[in-house]
Amino acid sequence: MVRVLGIDPGLQRTGWGVIDLHDNHMRHVANGVVSSTQSLSLAERLVQLFSGLTDIINEWSPDEAAIEETFVNKNPVSTLKLGQARGAALLAPARLGIPVTEYTPNAVKKTVVGAGHAAKQQVEMMVSTLLPGCQIAGPDAADALAVAICHAQHAGTRAMMNRYHNQNGGSAR
């Protein structure tokens, strides 16, 4: 069994979701949002995000983490702040020795919904379908669970390819 932490970074709200993957079967474990206080300095807000994610990692003990890559906004200041929040989110699992994989927003949506430009409502609906009984703590948590599902799907594909490779004596016939 592999436990995966999905992260949807944001400066105001960073979504997180934890799933277990066992033999290509996914099970919801937990999800939520880490928020930062808007009245604090940027540095203090980044500490809040980092600390909140570190607490989640300590509580749920994921084996792997996956994070959504930053997309470029029309507003360069917003893009820069999102990048800084993403840096704090990348650092939390990495500092604890957890491998982190990054996925583009389109790759996440395509994996979960089947279309790279799916609406947030479609993503949330598919997450609920793929993780039955899951009570999603809002759109940011749904996006984080989608990142975890994307990672689980890609991890399953990598495992199959490795098994094939090993069974065929290292040659890709």
Side-chain angles (χ1 to χ4, degrees), residues 28 36 61 121 137 147 171:
H28 172 261
S36 71
S61 304
Q121 296 84 359
V147 173
S171 65

PDB file of all heavy atoms in Angstrom, residues 28 36 61 121 137 147 171:
ATOM      1  N   HIS A  28     -10.084   7.009  -0.129  1.00  0.00           N
ATOM      2  CA  HIS A  28      -9.946   8.313   0.507  1.00  0.00           C
ATOM      3  C   HIS A  28      -9.558   8.132   1.964  1.00  0.00           C
ATOM      4  O   HIS A  28     -10.093   7.271   2.665  1.00  0.00           O
ATOM      5  CB  HIS A  28     -11.278   9.068   0.418  1.00  0.00           C
ATOM      6  CG  HIS A  28     -11.276  10.332   1.203  1.00  0.00           C
ATOM      7  ND1 HIS A  28     -11.826  10.416   2.466  1.00  0.00           N
ATOM      8  CD2 HIS A  28     -10.780  11.560   0.927  1.00  0.00           C
ATOM      9  CE1 HIS A  28     -11.679  11.647   2.919  1.00  0.00           C
ATOM     10  NE2 HIS A  28     -11.048  12.361   1.999  1.00  0.00           N
ATOM     11  N   SER A  36      -3.994  30.779   5.153  1.00  0.00           N
ATOM     12  CA  SER A  36      -3.082  31.762   5.735  1.00  0.00           C
ATOM     13  C   SER A  36      -3.876  33.031   6.035  1.00  0.00           C
ATOM     14  O   SER A  36      -4.911  33.283   5.422  1.00  0.00           O
ATOM     15  CB  SER A  36      -1.916  32.068   4.785  1.00  0.00           C
ATOM     16  OG  SER A  36      -2.353  32.806   3.668  1.00  0.00           O
ATOM     17  N   SER A  61       1.201  10.665   7.620  1.00  0.00           N
ATOM     18  CA  SER A  61       2.367   9.882   7.194  1.00  0.00           C
ATOM     19  C   SER A  61       2.315   9.398   5.746  1.00  0.00           C
ATOM     20  O   SER A  61       2.369   8.192   5.484  1.00  0.00           O
ATOM     21  CB  SER A  61       2.543   8.669   8.124  1.00  0.00           C
ATOM     22  OG  SER A  61       2.654   9.075   9.445  1.00  0.00           O
ATOM     23  N   GLN A 121     -16.171  22.121 -11.232  1.00  0.00           N
ATOM     24  CA  GLN A 121     -17.302  21.276 -10.834  1.00  0.00           C
ATOM     25  C   GLN A 121     -17.145  19.865 -11.391  1.00  0.00           C
ATOM     26  O   GLN A 121     -17.487  18.884 -10.712  1.00  0.00           O
ATOM     27  CB  GLN A 121     -18.641  21.869 -11.310  1.00  0.00           C
ATOM     28  CG  GLN A 121     -18.979  23.205 -10.692  1.00  0.00           C
ATOM     29  CD  GLN A 121     -18.316  24.386 -11.419  1.00  0.00           C
ATOM     30  OE1 GLN A 121     -17.575  24.225 -12.384  1.00  0.00           O
ATOM     31  NE2 GLN A 121     -18.558  25.582 -10.911  1.00  0.00           N
ATOM     32  N   ALA A 137     -13.848  18.841   1.452  1.00  0.00           N
ATOM     33  CA  ALA A 137     -13.830  20.086   2.224  1.00  0.00           C
ATOM     34  C   ALA A 137     -13.704  21.326   1.354  1.00  0.00           C
ATOM     35  O   ALA A 137     -13.084  22.297   1.751  1.00  0.00           O
ATOM     36  CB  ALA A 137     -12.686  20.033   3.238  1.00  0.00           C
ATOM     37  N   VAL A 147      -5.104  15.826  -7.681  1.00  0.00           N
ATOM     38  CA  VAL A 147      -3.657  15.706  -7.866  1.00  0.00           C
ATOM     39  C   VAL A 147      -3.185  14.353  -7.334  1.00  0.00           C
ATOM     40  O   VAL A 147      -2.381  13.660  -7.975  1.00  0.00           O
ATOM     41  CB  VAL A 147      -2.902  16.873  -7.181  1.00  0.00           C
ATOM     42  CG1 VAL A 147      -1.397  16.656  -7.216  1.00  0.00           C
ATOM     43  CG2 VAL A 147      -3.261  18.200  -7.827  1.00  0.00           C
ATOM     44  N   SER A 171      14.478  -5.794 -21.509  1.00  0.00           N
ATOM     45  CA  SER A 171      14.312  -5.270 -22.866  1.00  0.00           C
ATOM     46  C   SER A 171      12.873  -4.842 -23.081  1.00  0.00           C
ATOM     47  O   SER A 171      11.944  -5.444 -22.552  1.00  0.00           O
ATOM     48  CB  SER A 171      14.679  -6.324 -23.912  1.00  0.00           C
ATOM     49  OG  SER A 171      13.775  -7.417 -23.847  1.00  0.00           O
TER      50      SER A 171
END
